[in-house]
């Protein structure tokens, strides 16, 4: 699992760099249940963090009703930070999202296949750190078991009027009480009815319907894991709709079709509700990705779409949705993301994935958290949006870095490979160090046979490597550092520079080794390696300054020629003025089955990250040109726009960036696995 370089080349930085392999903590391996005693050298120690969430129940003075806690969600009462000074000493209960993980930890420790496993709850930094050590195969399998028990928790609500909730004597109506108890039991949640709404539950820019809900005199709150509260909110809303005498219909449509039927940014469903005066209730886009407080949550029906309104309107809405079902085309494609990065995205970027799904009308199928699989499926009503969605998800994966830190003695064996030190600190010392580093940095870290492997966002990965460098275990040993960055393949030439000029400059300036490695159809890896930590950090700084920053937007194709100018002169001037690249592509418009037009961005402005502040001014100037052209009586494609103030020569790239060699060097020195 470690990388070795040739000892006789240590004096030459460009010849003795090597590429340590990465331990994929989520890869599938055969489990051995042997409990043989192992030393530090043969023991895998891993530490990883998950988001920690703790929620307090509403303050008792505000509560009208509380459902029975059949699922034992709540912990012992704690003293709250009350907004009511008179009641600030009254304790309230709390619950968190570690219940499933705690049970998994207890079961693993009882089996004794893993020597130790500890949960460190870091409430101040909103994370919990799980650390374990033991035989590699067993640790990897048990880690997956722990992740599969993770869930997020939250609160959701609906507003309710006084006459719907209380009887003439001001008491909760028995029918309402029975319905709320039934919903809580069915959805594995705790339901409260309160007289005030917590400010944190109020949206920043509420829609008219949300605003009406906020101003209701009472609020029904559902507490639980995210899947469960979404399930509960739909049923609470249906209960109120039924009280209002509305007709309720249910359609069973495969979940994988829901976002396709909804359309980009939900435009199709919005048109259905606007044209018919109905309401639609659809399930969450990523059910079962995380676990749940309810062990039977897998049996829930996530194919249901509820239509609410007057019966005739509901029939019309149903007919429109059935028309969409018959007409919507389905295109799908699979692609690969590293399993460790899938876990990282599902833990920390699920909201971004949901937003991508809504924006593109795409169904994105991820493996469950901790499933140790790398295949992701995307389904859209257009192959264009399939590719757009895949590239957007792959770009999120680029935000996750990996790093390696390898210890060696600086001398070689008889075969010319560097020797690893055999005198390692005790497993307990390694475990404590990894727990501390993971909890403070937020990165996932493993240690095996003198090699540390790190996964996390940019700041977390660099912070973890910095803390590993400061460990007191090997004060006199040599080390090698590797950072790995994932980028889109269409950025390869941009980051390499003309004739690999950018890469060669970074290598010569920072005394590091950089190599490009292919990964899949959409992304590739950039490896930066050094035998000096300070040089590696400096090299990463230079590399990150050259990483591409970009924005994209839509400009009607009729204006492209005028923006470019005669012979490309105008766009060349603009690019030189802001030191950016501008790329135009053919305009694309998609008309949905309900007649709604959606457009794809057809202008991209790109520049190095160090010059990212120029992106918005460049975009603004292009929009000013468009505005000028719109005010002219002549045809926009023949009208010459005003020239930018600063002139100069710069190549216009209307279809692709200048071709460049992308391999700075052919290979690393010999590697021994």
């Amino acid at each position: 699992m470690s990388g070795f370089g040739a000892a006789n080349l240590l004096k030459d930085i460009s010849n003795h760099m090597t590429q340590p392999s990465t331990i994929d903590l989520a890869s599938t391996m055969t489990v051995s249940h042997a409990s043989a005693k192992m030393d530090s050298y043969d023991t895998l120690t891993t530490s990883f963090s998950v988001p920690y969430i703790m929620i307090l129940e509403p303050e008792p003075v505000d509560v009208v009703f509380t459902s029975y806690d059949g699922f034992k969600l709540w912990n012992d009462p704690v003293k709250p930070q009350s907004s009511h000074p008179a009641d600030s000493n009254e304790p309230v209960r709390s619950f968190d999202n570690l219940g499933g993980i705690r049970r998994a930890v207890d079961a693993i420790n009882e089996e004794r296949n893993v020597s130790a496993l500890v949960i460190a709850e870091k409430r101040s930094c909103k994370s919990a750190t799980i650390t374990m050590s033991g035989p590699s195969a067993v640790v990897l399998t048990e880690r997956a078991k722990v992740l599969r028990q993770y869930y997020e928790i939250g609160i959701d609500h609906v507003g309710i009027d006084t006459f719907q909730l209380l009887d003439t004597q001001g008491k909760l109506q028995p029918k309402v009480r029975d319905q709320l108890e039934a919903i809580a039991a069915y959805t594995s949640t705790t339901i409260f009815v309160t007289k005030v709404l917590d400010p944190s539950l109020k949206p920043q820019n509420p829609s008219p319907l949300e605003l009406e809900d906020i101003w209701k005199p009472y609020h029904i709150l559902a507490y639980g894991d995210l899947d469960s509260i979404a399930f509960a909110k739909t049923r609470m809303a249906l209960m109120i709709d039924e009280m209002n005498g509305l007709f309720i219909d249910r359609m069973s449509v495969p979940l994988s079709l829901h976002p396709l039927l909804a359309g980009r940014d939900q435009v199709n469903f919005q048109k259905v509700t606007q044209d018919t005066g109905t309401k639609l209730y659809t399930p969450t886009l990523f059910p079962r990705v995380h676990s749940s407080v309810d062990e039977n949550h897998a049996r829930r029906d996530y194919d249901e779409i509820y239509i609410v309104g007057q019966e005739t309107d509901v029939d019309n809405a149903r007919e429109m949705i059935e028309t969409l079902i018959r007409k919507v085309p389905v295109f799908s494609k699979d692609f690969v993301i590293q399993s460790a990065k899938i876990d990282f995205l599902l833990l920390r970027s699920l909201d971004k994935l949901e937003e991508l799904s809504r924006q593109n009308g795409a169904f994105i199928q991820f493996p469950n958290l901790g499933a140790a699989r790398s295949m992701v499926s995307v389904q859209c009503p257009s192959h264009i949006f399939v590719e757009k969605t895949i590239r957007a998800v792959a770009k999120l994966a680029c935000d996750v870095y990996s790093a390696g830190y390898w210890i060696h003695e600086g001398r070689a064996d008889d075969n010319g490979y560097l020797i690893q030190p055999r005198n390692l600190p005790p497993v307990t010392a390694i475990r404590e160090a990894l727990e501390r580093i993971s909890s403070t940095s937020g990165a996932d870290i493993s240690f095996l046979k003198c090699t540390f492997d790190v996964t996390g966002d940019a700041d977390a990965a660099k912070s973890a490597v910095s803390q590993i460098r400061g460990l007191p275990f090997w004060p006199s040993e040599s080390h090698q550092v590797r950072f790995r960055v994932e980028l889109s393949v269409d950025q390869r030439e941009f980051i390499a520079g003309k004739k690999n000029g950018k890469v060669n400059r970074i290598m010569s300036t920072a005394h590091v080794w950089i190599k490009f490695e292919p990964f899949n159809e959409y992304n590739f890896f950039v490896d930066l390696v050094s035998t000096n930590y300070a040089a590696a950090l400096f090299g990463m700084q230079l590399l990150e300054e050259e990483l591409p920053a970009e924005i994209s937007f839509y400009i009607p194709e009729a204006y492209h020629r005028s923006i470019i100018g005669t012979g490309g002169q105008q766009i060349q001037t603009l690019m030189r003025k802001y030191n950016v690249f501008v790329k135009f592509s053919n305009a694309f418009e998609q008309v949905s089955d309900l007649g709604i037009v959606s457009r794809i961005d057809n202008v991209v402005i790109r520049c190095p990250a160090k010059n990212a502040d120029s992106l918005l001014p460049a975009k603004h100037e292009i929009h000013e040109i468009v505005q000028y052209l719109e005010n002219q009586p002549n045809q926009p494609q023949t009208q010459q726009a005003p020239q930018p103030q600063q002139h100069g020569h710069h190549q216009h790239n209307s279809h692709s960036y200048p071709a460049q060699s992308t391999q700075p060097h052919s290979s690393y020195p010999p590697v021994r696995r």
Side-chain angles (χ1 to χ4, degrees), residues 83-280:
S83 58
H84 299 269
D87 302 299
S88 60
N89 292 322
E90 186 170 358
V92 297
R93 297 177 300 171
S94 68
F95 83 106
D96 60 35
N97 62 327
L98 299 184
I101 288 181
R102 291 190 188 96
R103 290 189 292 271
V105 167
D106 292 340
I108 290 170
N109 284 330
E110 288 178 2
E111 294 176 358
R112 298 182 181 276
N113 293 322
V114 174
S115 59
L117 192 152
V118 179
I119 294 180
E121 298 178 13
K122 303 296 182 182
R123 302 189 181 189
S124 60
C125 61
K126 304 298 182 182
S127 69
T129 303
I130 300 96
T131 305
M132 61 182 77
S133 57
S136 298
V138 183
V139 168
L140 296 175
T141 302
E142 304 293 25
R143 178 186 184 274
K145 288 182 181 179
V146 171
L147 283 176
R148 284 197 289 269
Q149 295 303 315
Y150 173 81
Y151 51 80
E152 292 188 15
I153 59 174
I155 314 169
D156 215 334
H157 75 99
V158 295
I160 185 170
D161 286 314
T162 304
F163 73 91
Q164 295 171 324
L165 182 70
L166 305 179
D167 59 20
T168 55
Q169 298 179 350
K171 296 181 180 180
L172 190 69
Q173 297 183 38
K175 182 180 179 180
V176 175
R177 178 187 300 273
D178 293 343
Q179 286 180 308
L180 293 179
E181 288 284 10
I183 293 173
Y186 181 65
T187 61
S188 317
T189 58
T190 298
I191 292 179
F192 297 89
V193 178
T194 65
K195 294 180 288 187
V196 297
L197 183 64
D198 190 305
S200 65
L201 299 177
K202 298 178 181 178
Q204 293 183 350
N205 299 303
S207 66
L209 287 177
E210 290 173 332
L211 197 58
E212 180 183 349
D213 207 42
I214 291 172
W215 287 106
K216 295 285 186 180
Y218 291 92
H219 301 273
I220 307 175
L221 309 178
Y223 285 61
D225 64 81
L226 296 189
D227 281 3
S228 296
I229 63 173
F231 215 57
K233 181 177 181 178
T234 296
R235 278 138 191 86
M236 294 187 303
L238 291 173
M239 179 190 75
I240 296 174
D241 290 332
E242 188 177 22
M243 291 178 180
N244 292 328
L246 298 176
F247 182 77
I248 300 173
D249 193 11
R250 184 185 69 175
M251 297 182 65
S252 183
V253 181
L255 178 65
S256 60
L257 286 180
H258 287 196
L260 283 71
L261 300 177
R264 295 189 69 201
D265 295 318
Q266 306 275 304
V267 292
N268 288 344
F269 280 177
Q270 288 175 10
K271 183 171 177 60
V272 170
T273 57
Q274 291 171 0
D275 288 357
T276 63
T278 58
K279 293 187 288 186
L280 297 181

Side-chain angles (χ1 to χ4, degrees), residues 33 69 189 201 316 328 372 490 494 522 589 623:
H33 291 286
D69 183 20
T189 58
L201 299 177
N316 292 335
V328 66
D490 64 359
F494 182 91
Y522 300 95
E589 294 184 351
H623 278 296

Side-chain angles (χ1 to χ4, degrees), residues 547-577:
L547 293 180
E550 65 181 36
I551 55 174
S552 62
F553 50 96
Y554 175 82
I555 295 292
E557 191 173 359
Y559 298 116
H560 287 193
R561 184 179 299 177
S562 297
I563 296 172
I564 293 170
T566 304
Q569 181 179 3
Q570 181 162 271
I571 199 65
Q572 291 169 12
T573 302
L574 185 144
M575 290 192 293
R576 182 175 179 83
K577 176 180 179 180

Side-chain angles (χ1 to χ4, degrees), residues 4-6 9 14-19 513 667-672:
F4 295 78
L9 299 178
S14 66
N15 291 327
H16 76 270
M17 298 299 181
T18 187
Q19 178 187 3
W513 181 275
S667 64
Y668 287 132
V671 173
R672 185 183 194 182

